[in-house]
Amino acid sequence: MLVRQILKTKSPELISVTPDQTVVEVLRLFRDNNIGFVVVSRSPGECLGTLSERDCCYAVAEYGIEAPTMRVADIMNRSVVTCSTQDLLPFVMSLMTDRRTRHVLVMDGDASVGVVSIGNVVKHRLDELLRTEQALSDYIAGTPYH
């Protein structure tokens, strides 16, 4: 399965924050949108870095009570893990494993166009396995193909 096929099943909106926003503002955005990852940018499609729930937790562990009022630019991840819309799911899975990340930013040229999360990967792999199981069951039972 291609990354672009996964993106078609998701909301097209890529939520981003500016480098000047505070950590607590981002955490509220996470809560209000039921997400755990944002792109840091100043304009649509741009990517200066990313910020995840994990990055925020590390900031609290490092800076204590100062963390909530810190700027995103001070704690964002500048080493962004990316893939393209044409990459295959196993490649994205290997990126997540090798780079120990739960989110991969999807790029179309120089523009960020979406995010693939570990949850997206699990859902699509599970769907594939269920389709395979059904096809094998139909084959064993002699059910005609559709």
Side-chain angles (χ1 to χ4, degrees):
M1 173 169 286
L2 294 174
V3 169
R4 69 179 159 84
Q5 293 169 295
I6 294 172
L7 290 182
K8 286 181 183 178
T9 66
K10 299 179 59 169
S11 167
E13 184 180 11
L14 182 61
I15 298 177
S16 63
V17 298
T18 66
D20 297 323
Q21 285 183 262
T22 64
V23 172
V24 75
E25 288 174 325
V26 174
L27 289 172
R28 288 183 181 130
L29 184 72
F30 286 169
R31 178 199 61 204
D32 294 345
N33 291 279
N34 196 29
I35 58 173
F37 179 87
V38 290
V39 174
V40 182
S41 68
R42 293 196 186 279
S43 62
E46 175 187 51
C47 178
L48 302 172
T50 61
L51 193 68
S52 69
E53 291 171 319
R54 182 180 287 177
D55 297 324
C56 294
C57 288
Y58 286 173
V60 170
E62 178 84 14
Y63 303 106
I65 62 172
E66 295 174 20
T69 58
M70 292 178 72
R71 293 174 349 118
V72 167
D74 297 328
I75 69 164
M76 71 182 185
N77 180 5
R78 289 177 172 81
S79 177
V80 180
V81 180
T82 65
C83 68
S84 85
T85 57
Q86 297 303 311
D87 285 328
L88 293 169
L89 188 57
F91 173 73
V92 175
M93 293 167 64
S94 70
L95 281 176
M96 289 177 169
T97 301
D98 294 344
R99 298 287 301 274
R100 298 188 48 80
T101 186
R102 298 169 189 221
H103 302 89
V104 175
L105 186 63
V106 182
M107 304 295 289
D108 188 7
D110 290 335
S112 53
V113 295
V115 174
V116 174
S117 72
I118 191 76
N120 301 137
V121 170
V122 169
K123 179 190 181 308
H124 284 86
R125 285 295 293 145
L126 181 59
D127 289 347
E128 282 179 350
L129 291 170
L130 291 173
R131 283 192 303 273
T132 300
E133 180 182 342
Q134 184 62 51
L136 289 171
S137 178
D138 290 349
Y139 176 75
I140 291 168
T143 305
Y145 292 101
H146 304 285

